[in-house]
Amino acid sequence: MPIHSIVVVTSPIGDHAPPAFADHPTAEVDMAVGSSVVGCETTNECYIPHMVTIDVGGEVMWNNIDAMAHTVTAGTPTEGLSENFDSGLVAPGAMFSHTFEDVGTFDYF
């Protein structure tokens, strides 16, 4: 099953950051139009982009561009909730943001 993830890396020191480091301290993810229909989770099309890399202290903003309310919940459908973040219902046209203070990979659905 495809995974939606936020990868948080340590901020690089100096001007010569390795390619693995994030380009921006913030990132935006769209809750895709039509993502309320079953099936987008099998093709990584519920959240676009489905994987984001940011620096520690970076913020991810999920924008609901769909006509239906959505959620953004840390964890996976098979493993359950991880309690790192949970948006609750995000209305159409609204957004949810979370700041990541620790290095790691944070799956969500």
Side-chain angles (χ1 to χ4, degrees):
M1 172 184 278
I3 296 176
H4 303 92
S5 299
I6 304 299
V7 178
V8 182
V9 296
T10 304
S11 296
I13 298 173
D15 294 332
H16 300 90
F21 286 101
D23 293 331
H24 305 288
T26 61
E28 290 191 28
V29 176
D30 287 335
M31 298 173 203
V33 172
S35 59
S36 57
V37 177
V38 175
C40 68
E41 69 281 354
T42 62
T43 58
N44 277 335
E45 295 176 314
C46 296
Y47 302 95
I48 299 174
H50 73 277
M51 187 168 288
V52 172
T53 302
I54 60 169
D55 292 332
V56 169
E59 178 183 34
V60 177
M61 295 179 289
W62 287 268
N63 301 303
N64 186 355
I65 63 171
D66 195 18
M68 303 293 292
H70 290 281
T71 62
V72 178
T73 305
T76 67
T78 54
E79 302 283 324
L81 307 178
S82 72
E83 299 183 15
N84 286 310
F85 56 90
D86 183 9
S87 67
L89 282 177
V90 180
M95 65 180 241
F96 166 73
S97 67
H98 182 78
T99 300
F100 291 83
E101 300 295 342
D102 297 312
V103 172
T105 300
F106 301 87
D107 298 332
Y108 68 94
F109 62 104

